Amino acid sequence: MIWLITGGSGSGKSEYAEKLACHLAEEEMKRKQMPVTKLYLATMQNDGAEACERIARHRNLRQGKGFATVEAPYGLEVEERYDIILLECVSNLAANLMFGKRMSADETAEEILRQVKCLSETCPQVVVVSNEIFSDGVIYDRETMEYLRGIGLVNRRLAGLAQYVCEVVYSIPMYVKGANPCIL
């Protein structure tokens, strides 16, 4: 099952996604009557002070929650099997592929969708975090506009693939696809 969690910067989407992943793990543990495994796929590259601060904040948020962590700035291939995977976040992965690997918006969308599908084939619950970055009304340079187009493609295609789509607004989860599970 794929859960797509979106929201603007500082909306609380990452915190909600982590709570959701932990809740799903608890439910799975009750069902299986045995421990479950959780993986945090981190896509942000540590390329400066701001990135370092954000990475540290996210590590602190999930500290003590039982996540294994894999740094995955370019790809989501996972060698082990996990019960829950939290992918944080698609926007960073898209930027890494488009600007680091020089992939087009279309190639990036296809690659991310392929990788998320592969994750969902081996993992029963995949929670995917992505940014909603289209509300500022600013016109950017051509390269940035192509990145925005790529994120739009990825988010639309992931929303079509996901069983649940939730936008977090001011720390409030608003389900736009799939019934709100009212779990948190």
Side-chain angles (χ1 to χ4, degrees), residues 3 24 34 37 42 51 54 58 82 103 106 129 134 139 145 157 184:
W3 303 71
L24 293 171
M34 58 190 313
T37 55
R54 290 183 71 196
H58 283 263
Y82 291 88
M103 293 173 76
D106 295 307
V129 178
F134 304 100
I139 302 297
M145 292 302 288
R157 291 179 183 168
L184 305 175

mmCIF file of all heavy atoms in Angstrom, residues 3 24 34 37 42 51 54 58 82 103 106 129 134 139 145 157 184:
data_model
loop_
_atom_site.group_PDB
_atom_site.id
_atom_site.type_symbol
_atom_site.label_atom_id
_atom_site.label_comp_id
_atom_site.label_asym_id
_atom_site.label_seq_id
_atom_site.Cartn_x
_atom_site.Cartn_y
_atom_site.Cartn_z
ATOM 1 N N TRP A 3 1.156 5.338 0.562
ATOM 2 C CA TRP A 3 0.589 6.530 1.177
ATOM 3 C C TRP A 3 1.416 7.715 0.685
ATOM 4 O O TRP A 3 2.621 7.760 0.916
ATOM 5 C CB TRP A 3 0.700 6.466 2.690
ATOM 6 C CG TRP A 3 0.082 5.283 3.339
ATOM 7 C CD1 TRP A 3 0.514 3.983 3.296
ATOM 8 C CD2 TRP A 3 -1.088 5.286 4.151
ATOM 9 N NE1 TRP A 3 -0.322 3.183 4.034
ATOM 10 C CE2 TRP A 3 -1.314 3.958 4.577
ATOM 11 C CE3 TRP A 3 -1.960 6.295 4.572
ATOM 12 C CZ2 TRP A 3 -2.378 3.609 5.398
ATOM 13 C CZ3 TRP A 3 -3.017 5.936 5.393
ATOM 14 C CH2 TRP A 3 -3.219 4.613 5.788
ATOM 15 N N LEU A 24 1.389 2.518 11.580
ATOM 16 C CA LEU A 24 1.252 1.353 10.702
ATOM 17 C C LEU A 24 2.091 0.185 11.222
ATOM 18 O O LEU A 24 1.660 -0.970 11.169
ATOM 19 C CB LEU A 24 1.654 1.710 9.276
ATOM 20 C CG LEU A 24 0.746 2.706 8.551
ATOM 21 C CD1 LEU A 24 1.382 3.148 7.236
ATOM 22 C CD2 LEU A 24 -0.640 2.139 8.327
ATOM 23 N N MET A 34 4.587 -10.204 16.121
ATOM 24 C CA MET A 34 6.045 -10.253 16.110
ATOM 25 C C MET A 34 6.572 -8.873 15.707
ATOM 26 O O MET A 34 5.827 -8.061 15.155
ATOM 27 C CB MET A 34 6.560 -11.331 15.156
ATOM 28 C CG MET A 34 6.102 -11.181 13.730
ATOM 29 S SD MET A 34 6.456 -12.593 12.655
ATOM 30 C CE MET A 34 8.128 -12.976 12.991
ATOM 31 N N THR A 37 9.855 -4.330 10.906
ATOM 32 C CA THR A 37 11.018 -3.527 10.560
ATOM 33 C C THR A 37 10.580 -2.272 9.822
ATOM 34 O O THR A 37 9.666 -2.303 9.002
ATOM 35 C CB THR A 37 11.979 -4.338 9.682
ATOM 36 O OG1 THR A 37 11.269 -4.838 8.548
ATOM 37 C CG2 THR A 37 12.584 -5.501 10.470
ATOM 38 N N ALA A 42 16.393 8.242 3.197
ATOM 39 C CA ALA A 42 16.705 9.672 3.238
ATOM 40 C C ALA A 42 17.314 10.106 1.906
ATOM 41 O O ALA A 42 18.337 9.574 1.501
ATOM 42 C CB ALA A 42 17.673 9.961 4.378
ATOM 43 N N ALA A 51 21.404 22.175 4.681
ATOM 44 C CA ALA A 51 21.069 20.751 4.538
ATOM 45 C C ALA A 51 21.458 19.993 5.801
ATOM 46 O O ALA A 51 20.703 19.136 6.274
ATOM 47 C CB ALA A 51 21.768 20.161 3.319
ATOM 48 N N ARG A 54 18.815 20.575 8.446
ATOM 49 C CA ARG A 54 17.571 19.848 8.171
ATOM 50 C C ARG A 54 17.735 18.355 8.427
ATOM 51 O O ARG A 54 16.852 17.714 8.977
ATOM 52 C CB ARG A 54 17.122 20.106 6.732
ATOM 53 C CG ARG A 54 16.640 21.547 6.534
ATOM 54 C CD ARG A 54 16.129 21.796 5.164
ATOM 55 N NE ARG A 54 14.854 21.095 4.993
ATOM 56 C CZ ARG A 54 14.290 20.852 3.826
ATOM 57 N NH1 ARG A 54 14.889 21.227 2.713
ATOM 58 N NH2 ARG A 54 13.139 20.227 3.741
ATOM 59 N N HIS A 58 15.610 16.137 11.194
ATOM 60 C CA HIS A 58 14.867 14.921 10.861
ATOM 61 C C HIS A 58 15.379 13.719 11.652
ATOM 62 O O HIS A 58 14.590 12.871 12.081
ATOM 63 C CB HIS A 58 14.906 14.655 9.358
ATOM 64 C CG HIS A 58 13.979 15.529 8.591
ATOM 65 N ND1 HIS A 58 12.726 15.119 8.208
ATOM 66 C CD2 HIS A 58 14.096 16.808 8.165
ATOM 67 C CE1 HIS A 58 12.114 16.107 7.565
ATOM 68 N NE2 HIS A 58 12.936 17.135 7.529
ATOM 69 N N TYR A 82 11.619 -4.885 4.299
ATOM 70 C CA TYR A 82 11.088 -4.154 5.449
ATOM 71 C C TYR A 82 9.572 -4.210 5.426
ATOM 72 O O TYR A 82 8.961 -4.349 4.373
ATOM 73 C CB TYR A 82 11.554 -2.690 5.415
ATOM 74 C CG TYR A 82 13.031 -2.533 5.657
ATOM 75 C CD1 TYR A 82 13.937 -2.587 4.605
ATOM 76 C CD2 TYR A 82 13.527 -2.360 6.946
ATOM 77 C CE1 TYR A 82 15.298 -2.464 4.830
ATOM 78 C CE2 TYR A 82 14.882 -2.239 7.180
ATOM 79 C CZ TYR A 82 15.766 -2.283 6.112
ATOM 80 O OH TYR A 82 17.109 -2.173 6.341
ATOM 81 N N MET A 103 18.919 14.538 -15.594
ATOM 82 C CA MET A 103 17.765 13.889 -16.204
ATOM 83 C C MET A 103 16.690 14.937 -16.488
ATOM 84 O O MET A 103 16.590 15.933 -15.775
ATOM 85 C CB MET A 103 17.207 12.805 -15.263
ATOM 86 C CG MET A 103 18.161 11.640 -15.068
ATOM 87 S SD MET A 103 17.606 10.452 -13.809
ATOM 88 C CE MET A 103 16.333 9.610 -14.726
ATOM 89 N N ASP A 106 10.603 14.577 -17.432
ATOM 90 C CA ASP A 106 9.891 13.346 -17.788
ATOM 91 C C ASP A 106 10.668 12.102 -17.353
ATOM 92 O O ASP A 106 10.080 11.162 -16.810
ATOM 93 C CB ASP A 106 9.608 13.303 -19.294
ATOM 94 C CG ASP A 106 8.657 14.395 -19.728
ATOM 95 O OD1 ASP A 106 7.567 14.504 -19.138
ATOM 96 O OD2 ASP A 106 9.008 15.157 -20.656
ATOM 97 N N VAL A 129 6.839 10.960 1.150
ATOM 98 C CA VAL A 129 6.677 12.378 1.451
ATOM 99 C C VAL A 129 7.124 13.188 0.236
ATOM 100 O O VAL A 129 8.159 12.908 -0.365
ATOM 101 C CB VAL A 129 7.512 12.792 2.684
ATOM 102 C CG1 VAL A 129 7.375 14.276 2.978
ATOM 103 C CG2 VAL A 129 7.109 11.965 3.901
ATOM 104 N N PHE A 134 3.844 24.747 -5.239
ATOM 105 C CA PHE A 134 3.269 25.500 -6.350
ATOM 106 C C PHE A 134 2.424 26.688 -5.921
ATOM 107 O O PHE A 134 1.684 27.230 -6.725
ATOM 108 C CB PHE A 134 2.423 24.554 -7.216
ATOM 109 C CG PHE A 134 3.221 23.375 -7.697
ATOM 110 C CD1 PHE A 134 3.123 22.147 -7.066
ATOM 111 C CD2 PHE A 134 4.106 23.509 -8.749
ATOM 112 C CE1 PHE A 134 3.870 21.072 -7.485
ATOM 113 C CE2 PHE A 134 4.860 22.435 -9.182
ATOM 114 C CZ PHE A 134 4.742 21.214 -8.553
ATOM 115 N N ILE A 139 7.559 33.446 -10.724
ATOM 116 C CA ILE A 139 8.068 32.915 -11.988
ATOM 117 C C ILE A 139 9.583 32.772 -11.830
ATOM 118 O O ILE A 139 10.282 33.730 -11.480
ATOM 119 C CB ILE A 139 7.750 33.864 -13.173
ATOM 120 C CG1 ILE A 139 6.243 34.100 -13.276
ATOM 121 C CG2 ILE A 139 8.331 33.317 -14.469
ATOM 122 C CD1 ILE A 139 5.437 32.848 -13.567
ATOM 123 N N MET A 145 11.836 26.186 -13.417
ATOM 124 C CA MET A 145 10.482 25.894 -13.885
ATOM 125 C C MET A 145 10.384 24.445 -14.377
ATOM 126 O O MET A 145 9.366 23.786 -14.176
ATOM 127 C CB MET A 145 10.061 26.870 -14.988
ATOM 128 C CG MET A 145 9.862 28.309 -14.505
ATOM 129 S SD MET A 145 8.629 28.487 -13.194
ATOM 130 C CE MET A 145 7.127 28.202 -14.127
ATOM 131 N N ARG A 157 1.512 11.529 -10.732
ATOM 132 C CA ARG A 157 1.601 10.088 -11.015
ATOM 133 C C ARG A 157 1.619 9.269 -9.730
ATOM 134 O O ARG A 157 1.010 8.207 -9.656
ATOM 135 C CB ARG A 157 2.805 9.794 -11.888
ATOM 136 C CG ARG A 157 2.599 10.362 -13.291
ATOM 137 C CD ARG A 157 3.764 10.135 -14.190
ATOM 138 N NE ARG A 157 3.537 10.761 -15.483
ATOM 139 C CZ ARG A 157 4.479 10.924 -16.386
ATOM 140 N NH1 ARG A 157 5.707 10.482 -16.163
ATOM 141 N NH2 ARG A 157 4.201 11.510 -17.530
ATOM 142 N N LEU A 184 -4.494 9.133 13.653
ATOM 143 C CA LEU A 184 -3.557 9.967 14.411
ATOM 144 C C LEU A 184 -4.232 11.241 14.867
ATOM 145 O O LEU A 184 -5.016 11.821 14.209
ATOM 146 C CB LEU A 184 -2.341 10.300 13.554
ATOM 147 C CG LEU A 184 -1.602 9.108 12.969
ATOM 148 C CD1 LEU A 184 -0.507 9.566 12.044
ATOM 149 C CD2 LEU A 184 -1.002 8.264 14.068
#
